[in-house]
Amino acid sequence: PWRGVGIPLIIIVLLFLIIHHVHHRNGNANTPSLRISTSTTSSKEELLPIYELPTKPFSKEPAHLTPIDPSLLISKGSHPIDIAHRNGHLHTGHILYVMDASGKILFLQRSSHVVTCPGTWSMLGEHANVGEDARQTVVRGVEEELGFTALGFDESTDFPGAWTADFHPNNNMKTSLHVTIQNVTEFPLYYVRHYGPRNDNRIDRQLTYLWLVHFPKSHEEIQWVLDDEVANHKWMSLDEVGSWLSEDATNDKKVYTSSEGGLKDDGPDEGDFCHGTIRSLYEAGLMSML
């Protein structure tokens, strides 16, 4: 009696083994790719060049927003971005005042899903990575955050001290935008924020370059591809920006200094921007532009 069912039973068992093998193989094929992607994202820590200031003329730490000649910086190697911020290592960064032909400035709103300052507004900003000079960092920021490709940059013939770059929107090489880029302040500004006990006493020390990135067309005529972490954006005139920053300053809280060890906290994160420290940096650049 078993001879009649032996062959069909063998066929069923073989089909089951084949299906199981295919499913198992596909599962293994998908899982490593996810692991590799996750591992690459988490382990690829951004390395920042680290610096110190000479004891002369800096016998003590400069005040927030002090202009400093970058040629005075003393290189001290590099650290991952988290260690640089956690230990208060001095590094360099860049704020980009992206302006269209009508004189309006771009502001970006961070997604509610990001870890740092969710839902707040900011200008385009970039840390300088190892091996980059200032111009390369600016170009990278425009490419990554706004959806452009640059073919290079050169000195400007129209504005002394400025430089230009040809950007192609969304990798469209048939369209080119000749963008002028220049320093907003003569020297970068010393930025320092004490996060205090609320955030493991982290200190952010950054020598910050402020750049005016001037596009030759109105923003409505340009194809922008914003970063995935951007939830919204808006363009504002310089007067509108000034009013917004001044109004937001009413949300500031007093600086707190602990009686134990002198631990300093530059105030809670209130208002439309990440905090008052970064807003004061935007204000400094705006005042130089007016």
Side-chain angles (χ1 to χ4, degrees):
W2 293 102
R3 291 181 180 178
V5 298
I7 294 176
L9 180 62
I10 292 173
I11 293 174
I12 292 173
V13 171
L14 288 174
L15 286 174
F16 173 79
L17 292 174
I18 291 172
I19 292 172
H20 177 74
H21 172 73
V22 170
H23 175 75
H24 181 71
R25 183 186 64 187
N26 288 342
N28 286 343
N30 289 333
T31 303
S33 66
L34 290 175
R35 286 177 180 169
I36 291 172
S37 175
T38 303
S39 174
T40 302
T41 301
S42 61
S43 64
K44 189 179 179 181
E45 292 186 271
E46 191 177 358
L47 284 177
L48 306 184
I50 301 302
Y51 303 94
E52 285 184 358
L53 293 172
T55 55
K56 292 182 180 180
F58 302 102
S59 57
K60 61 180 181 179
E61 182 170 23
H64 178 58
L65 302 181
T66 298
I68 293 178
D69 183 348
S71 67
L72 299 176
L73 294 178
I74 302 171
S75 177
K76 290 294 180 179
S78 62
H79 285 297
I81 184 171
D82 181 66
I83 293 178
H85 287 162
R86 188 175 299 278
N87 296 331
H89 295 309
L90 178 61
H91 53 281
T92 58
H94 303 260
I95 297 295
L96 279 55
Y97 293 72
V98 178
M99 177 184 283
D100 73 352
S102 67
K104 291 189 175 180
I105 298 289
L106 173 64
F107 279 87
L108 306 172
Q109 185 180 33
R110 297 175 64 81
S111 166
S112 59
H113 304 297
V114 299
V115 176
T116 305
C117 303
T120 59
W121 290 87
S122 67
M123 292 181 179
L124 197 160
E126 289 289 341
H127 287 103
N129 290 338
V130 170
E132 284 183 332
D133 63 25
R135 296 183 181 188
Q136 291 172 328
T137 305
V138 172
V139 168
R140 175 173 58 82
V142 174
E143 287 184 322
E144 294 179 353
E145 305 297 331
L146 303 181
F148 290 89
T149 299
L151 290 183
F153 44 83
D154 202 353
E155 299 297 327
S156 172
T157 57
D158 300 322
F159 303 96
W163 49 286
T164 61
D166 290 320
F167 287 101
H168 302 274
N170 199 25
N171 296 322
N172 180 5
M173 296 302 173
K174 296 180 179 179
T175 302
S176 180
L177 296 168
H178 196 62
V179 178
T180 302
I181 304 166
Q182 60 190 115
N183 290 109
V184 174
T185 56
E186 180 181 5
F187 292 123
L189 305 182
Y190 188 84
Y191 170 96
V192 57
R193 176 171 175 79
H194 299 260
Y195 285 90
R198 294 178 300 110
N199 283 289
D200 300 324
N201 296 311
R202 296 165 71 102
I203 303 175
D204 191 1
R205 293 184 174 96
Q206 177 176 282
L207 193 60
T208 310
Y209 294 79
L210 307 181
W211 300 95
L212 174 62
V213 181
H214 198 180
F215 280 79
K217 294 183 179 181
S218 65
H219 63 272
E220 296 94 344
E221 301 176 272
I222 301 175
Q223 182 182 7
W224 309 90
V225 181
L226 302 181
D227 184 84
D228 291 340
E229 293 184 349
V230 175
N232 201 355
H233 72 284
K234 58 184 174 182
W235 294 84
M236 306 177 72
S237 68
L238 293 180
D239 288 340
E240 290 172 332
V241 173
S243 298
W244 186 22
L245 295 176
S246 297
E247 181 179 350
D248 192 77
T250 61
N251 296 304
D252 285 354
K253 305 297 182 182
K254 291 183 178 180
V255 173
Y256 166 77
T257 302
S258 170
S259 58
E260 299 180 4
L263 297 178
K264 187 176 180 182
D265 187 328
D266 286 336
D269 305 338
E270 303 280 353
D272 292 333
F273 302 93
C274 187
H275 42 66
T277 315
I278 190 67
R279 192 200 60 247
S280 67
L281 185 63
Y282 299 158
E283 289 177 309
L286 182 65
M287 293 300 295
S288 297
M289 294 169 61
L290 293 176

